[in-house]
C-alpha cells in the first residue's frame, strides 16, 4: 500500500510564518498542472507493485485549482497507478476559496476529505499572520462544508504571542461546536527568512513565548479528549475512524510518491525531493528528466526516523521491531538512552512499546533527538 502526494505551489499571498514552496504568480499555473500529469506518468514504475490507498493535494493552496484541473490530476493517477476502491482523497483548501457553490461541486467529485486552513476564527489573528481569509469566511465555509462532508479536518495555530488562554479556548470551542471530526494544530514557529522572522528581529512582532504555547497545547489536549478525540500524533487529533490515512502512512513508514515542485518521496530505503522552483521543475520535466535529489538512507538514518515518528504517535516504538529491523546493538542503545526520560515521567513503556507520556508529548522532538544513534 502506498500514497501519492501532489504539491500545488500557488498561493494568493504569503502568510508571514510560512516557509513552504509556493508562488504568488499564477502565470505558469496551466503549464504546471500539465507537468504534474507528466510527472505522474513518468514515475508510474516506482509504485508498480503497490496499490494506492490515499491521494493528497497539499500546498501551497490546492483549492486554487479548478474542479476540472483536480479531476485531470485524479484521472492521471487512475490511468497510471493501481488505486484501491474508495481511496482517501484529501484536498487542502483555504476558506476564501470555499464558496457554497464550490463546496457543493467538490462534494460531487471523488474528493472525500477536506483539510481546511482555518488557523484562527479571530480577525486580528488572521490579519497578524497575513492570511487571505476573514473570520466570517472561516465560519461560513465550515458551516457549509460540514453539511456536505463528514470527513473534514481543520488546521488551527496555537502559541500566537499574547493570545490569552481564554481566546485560545474560544477558538477551540468554535471549532468543536462545528462538529469537525479531526483537528491538526501546530504551534506558531519562526522559520528562518520568513516575514515573521524579520518582524521579530526588528521588534515589530512579539517573540514566541514557549510557556504560553505549552499552556495552549495542554488545553488543546484536554478539550479534544473531552469530546472523544484521540490524540494520535503530537499535532493531530481525530475521532475514531477519522484519522488521516495519508499522514498515518507517513508515520508508519509506508512508501509515498511526492509529485510537484518541492515534493518529497520515500520508498523505505531512500528519500528524494523535487526542486523547489516552478520554472526549473517545468523545464526539467519537459525534457523528461526528474528534477530531484536522492538521499540513500543508512540503517542509522532509518532507525532515527523510526524513533522520531514513533515517538510522535500513539503507535510508539516497538522494542521487538528495533531488534528485528536494526539489531541488538540498536535495541541496547535505545534501552540505555531512555532511562532518564522514563525516570522523569516523559516516556513510558506499555505492552512492549515505548510511548511519549502525556506530559512528554509537547517535548517529543527534543527527546527523540536524544535517543538518536549518532
Ligand atoms: S496559504 Fe498555506 S502554503 Fe500558502 S502561504 Fe499561507 S500557510 Fe503557506
Amino acid at each position: 500500500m502506498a500514497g501519492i502526494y501532489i504539491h500545488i505551489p500557488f498561493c494568493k499571498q504569503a502568510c508571514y510564518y510560512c516557509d513552504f514552496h509556493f508562488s504568488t504568480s499564477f502565470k505558469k499555473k496551466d503549464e504546471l498542472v500539465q507537468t504534474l500529469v507528466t510527472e505522474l506518468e513518468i514515475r508510474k514504475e516506482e509504485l508498480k507493485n503497490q496499490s494506492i490507498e490515499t491521494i493528497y493535494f497539499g500546498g501551497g493552496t490546492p483549492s486554487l485549482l479548478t474542479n476540472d484541473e483536480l479531476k485531470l490530476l485524479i484521472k492521471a493517477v487512475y490511468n497510471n497507478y493501481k488505486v484501491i476502491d474508495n481511496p482517501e482523497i484529501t484536498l487542502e483548501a483555504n476558506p476564501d476559496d470555499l464558496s457554497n457553490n464550490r463546496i457543493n461541486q467538490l462534494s460531487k467529485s471523488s474528493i472525500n476529505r477536506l483539510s481546511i486552513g482555518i488557523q484562527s476564527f479571530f480577525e486580528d489573528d488572521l490579519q497578524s499572520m497575513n492570511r487571505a481569509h476573514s473570520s466570517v469566511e472561516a465560519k461560513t465555509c465550515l458551516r457549509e462544508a460540514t453539511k456536505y462532508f463528514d470527513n473534514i479536518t481543520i488546521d488551527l495555530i496555537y502559541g500566537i504571542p499574547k493570545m490569552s488562554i481564554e481566546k485560545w479556548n474560544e477558538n477551540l470551542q468554535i471549532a468543536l461546536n462545528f462538529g469537525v471530526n479531526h483537528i491538526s494544530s501546530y504551534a506558531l514557529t519562526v522559520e528562518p527568512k520568513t516575514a515573521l522572522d524579520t518582524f521579530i528581529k526588528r521588534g515589530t512582532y512579539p517573540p514566541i513565548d514557549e510557556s504560553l504555547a505549552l499552556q495552549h497545547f495542554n488545553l488543546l489536549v484536554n478539550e479534544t479528549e473531552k469530546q472523544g478525540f484521540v490524540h494520535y500524533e503530537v499535532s493531530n487529533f481525530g475521532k475514531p475512524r477519522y484519522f488521516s490515512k495519508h499522514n498515518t502512512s507517513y508515520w508508519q513508514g509506508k512508501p509515498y510518491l511526492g509529485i510537484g515542485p518541492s515534493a518529497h518521496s520515500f520508498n523505505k530505503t531512500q528519500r528524494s525531493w523535487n526542486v523547489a522552483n516552478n520554472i526549473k521543475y517545468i523545464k526539467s520535466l519537459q525534457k523528461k528528466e526528474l528534477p530531484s535529489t536522492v538521499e540513500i538512507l543508512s540503517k542509522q538514518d532509518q532507525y532515527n526516523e523510526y524513533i522520531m515518528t514513533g515517538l510522535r504517535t500513539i503507535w510508539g516504538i516497538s522494542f521487538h521491531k528495533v531488534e528485528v529491523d536494526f539489531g541488538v546493538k540498536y535495541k541496547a542503545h535505545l534501552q540505555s538512552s531512555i532511562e532518564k526520560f522514563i525516570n522523569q515521567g516523559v516516556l513510558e513503556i506499555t505492552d512492549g512499546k515505548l510511548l511519549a507520556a502525556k506530559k512528554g508529548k509537547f517535548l517529543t522532538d527534543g527527546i527523540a533527538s536524544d535517543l538518536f544513534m549518532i
Side-chain angles (χ1 to χ4, degrees):
M1 293 289 184
I4 294 186
Y5 171 86
I6 304 178
H7 189 81
I8 308 301
F10 301 103
C11 291
K12 286 184 190 159
Q13 61 196 51
C15 302
Y16 290 150
Y17 55 85
C18 181
D19 73 340
F20 293 148
H21 167 66
F22 63 90
S23 162
T24 50
S25 158
F26 300 169
K27 272 193 276 181
K28 295 275 171 198
K29 184 165 153 268
D30 295 353
E31 231 179 310
L32 195 122
V33 172
Q34 287 307 325
T35 312
L36 295 172
V37 173
T38 307
E39 189 184 358
L40 280 165
E41 285 166 357
I42 69 170
R43 294 185 69 186
K44 64 179 173 195
E45 288 299 304
E46 291 183 41
L47 292 181
K48 72 170 186 288
N49 299 320
Q50 302 277 355
S51 297
I52 305 303
E53 49 179 1
T54 59
I55 302 169
Y56 191 103
F57 290 98
T61 311
S63 51
L64 288 172
L65 294 196
T66 63
N67 294 333
D68 284 345
E69 286 168 329
L70 292 167
K71 216 194 245 173
L72 179 80
L73 291 166
I74 294 170
K75 190 162 165 254
V77 173
Y78 274 85
N79 286 347
N80 294 287
Y81 301 83
K82 199 163 55 176
V83 182
I84 63 162
D85 288 343
N86 268 324
E88 176 189 272
I89 308 185
T90 305
L91 178 77
E92 284 184 356
N94 279 342
D96 41 312
D97 296 326
L98 291 179
S99 63
N100 292 0
N101 187 30
R102 183 80 200 275
I103 292 169
N104 186 313
Q105 287 169 359
L106 287 170
S107 73
K108 293 177 184 148
S109 75
S110 53
I111 289 160
N112 49 29
R113 184 169 184 269
L114 284 185
S115 170
I116 308 178
I118 301 281
Q119 316 309 352
S120 172
F121 289 101
F122 291 95
E123 200 59 43
D124 56 338
D125 295 335
L126 294 169
Q127 285 179 14
S128 79
M129 296 186 283
N130 202 35
R131 295 289 303 179
H133 67 274
S134 66
S135 149
V136 171
E137 282 170 323
K139 291 177 188 159
T140 318
C141 87
L142 211 43
R143 196 169 301 122
E144 198 64 14
T146 46
K147 286 187 202 157
Y148 291 91
F149 285 84
D150 93 311
N151 203 352
I152 292 180
T153 178
I154 63 166
D155 284 352
L156 288 178
I157 293 183
Y158 63 88
I160 297 175
K162 302 203 189 308
M163 182 192 263
S164 68
I165 193 85
E166 291 76 20
K167 190 176 175 192
W168 171 236
N169 191 29
E170 213 179 312
N171 242 339
L172 274 175
Q173 298 311 326
I174 296 171
L176 294 169
N177 284 337
F178 274 111
V180 293
N181 292 315
H182 191 284
I183 296 174
S184 296
S185 193
Y186 303 89
L188 183 67
T189 47
V190 187
E191 303 299 339
K193 300 197 185 121
T194 55
L196 185 61
D197 185 27
T198 310
F199 299 155
I200 292 176
K201 282 181 182 147
R202 272 195 213 137
T204 53
Y205 192 94
I208 302 295
D209 176 348
E210 280 286 322
S211 66
L212 179 74
L214 176 59
Q215 285 177 43
H216 287 181
F217 179 77
N218 288 337
L219 186 79
L220 167 70
V221 171
N222 292 334
E223 291 304 305
T224 49
E225 192 180 336
K226 276 191 215 157
Q227 301 290 328
F229 285 74
V230 180
H231 187 190
Y232 70 106
E233 196 269 349
V234 171
S235 307
N236 285 277
F237 304 79
K239 295 256 178 87
R241 293 189 302 108
Y242 290 95
F243 295 3
S244 163
K245 290 186 186 149
H246 186 82
N247 291 338
T248 298
S249 66
Y250 291 163
W251 303 318
Q252 295 187 339
K254 293 187 189 167
Y256 56 87
L257 210 57
I259 301 292
S262 81
H264 283 233
S265 302
F266 171 73
N267 75 356
K268 292 186 183 271
T269 54
Q270 68 183 44
R271 191 171 283 294
S272 62
W273 53 95
N274 286 345
V275 65
N277 179 304
N278 293 359
I279 294 179
K280 284 186 188 161
Y281 170 78
I282 293 169
K283 284 199 170 146
S284 173
L285 276 150
Q286 278 167 347
K287 292 184 271 169
K288 301 275 186 254
E289 282 167 15
L290 207 58
S292 68
T293 308
V294 178
E295 179 193 11
I296 308 289
L297 299 172
S298 64
K299 192 199 251 192
Q300 187 178 316
D301 294 334
Q302 291 176 38
Y303 169 81
N304 291 344
E305 286 204 5
Y306 177 55
I307 295 297
M308 177 62 95
T309 50
L311 220 50
R312 290 183 64 97
T313 67
I314 50 164
W315 299 287
I317 295 164
S318 153
F319 290 100
H320 178 70
K321 183 179 160 66
V322 169
E323 185 169 346
V324 172
D325 290 0
F326 303 101
V328 285
K329 185 178 126 200
Y330 280 80
K331 188 177 170 195
H333 168 78
L334 179 62
Q335 280 167 328
S336 65
S337 52
I338 60 177
E339 215 170 297
K340 80 169 185 206
F341 297 111
I342 300 268
N343 291 338
Q344 288 167 6
V346 290
L347 292 182
E348 60 192 19
I349 297 173
T350 312
D351 299 333
K353 296 260 172 69
L354 178 68
L355 298 157
K358 199 169 181 183
K359 76 173 194 183
K361 289 226 164 107
F362 191 69
L363 311 166
T364 47
D365 290 354
I367 298 172
S369 62
D370 275 5
L371 310 184
F372 284 171
M373 181 71 95
I374 310 222

